Amino acid sequence: MQLSLAASWGISRLFFRLFAFRAVRCCSAGIFVGCIAVALAEILNTFPIMFRRSGLKEGLSWIMLVMALGKTAGALYYFLAGIG
């Protein structure tokens, strides 16, 4: 069975639209992940300054660990409660 020219043109337009949609979606996801990585790097640069100004010398690793666990608990609550 051979497709007519109009039918084959419609199929190729459909594939192009699907490819274009995926390409835009993947680029958007990559930009989002890149922005998150840059924001995380900026926040990590502020911790040494904050600790130095507050005069903390001991227990820095525990403070960082508790902050990370709090962030994880908040994210889990956010998603498991159906908020996001």
Side-chain angles (χ1 to χ4, degrees):
M1 177 176 173
Q2 189 173 6
L3 292 174
S4 68
L5 183 60
S8 65
W9 175 249
I11 291 172
S12 63
R13 282 182 42 201
L14 175 68
F15 283 130
F16 176 75
R17 286 182 182 171
L18 290 176
F19 175 75
F21 178 72
R22 280 191 178 170
V24 168
R25 189 174 61 179
C26 290
C27 288
S28 298
I31 291 170
F32 177 76
V33 170
C35 289
I36 292 292
V38 169
L40 179 62
E42 288 294 322
I43 288 174
L44 289 177
N45 287 338
T46 62
F47 285 135
I49 297 167
M50 182 177 65
F51 293 147
R52 194 177 317 122
R53 288 186 181 175
S54 64
L56 291 174
K57 300 290 181 192
E58 296 179 11
L60 297 179
S61 60
W62 288 105
I63 292 172
M64 295 284 282
L65 178 65
V66 169
M67 290 173 76
L69 290 174
K71 182 72 172 172
T72 303
L76 285 174
Y77 173 74
Y78 180 79
F79 288 113
L80 293 177
I83 297 171

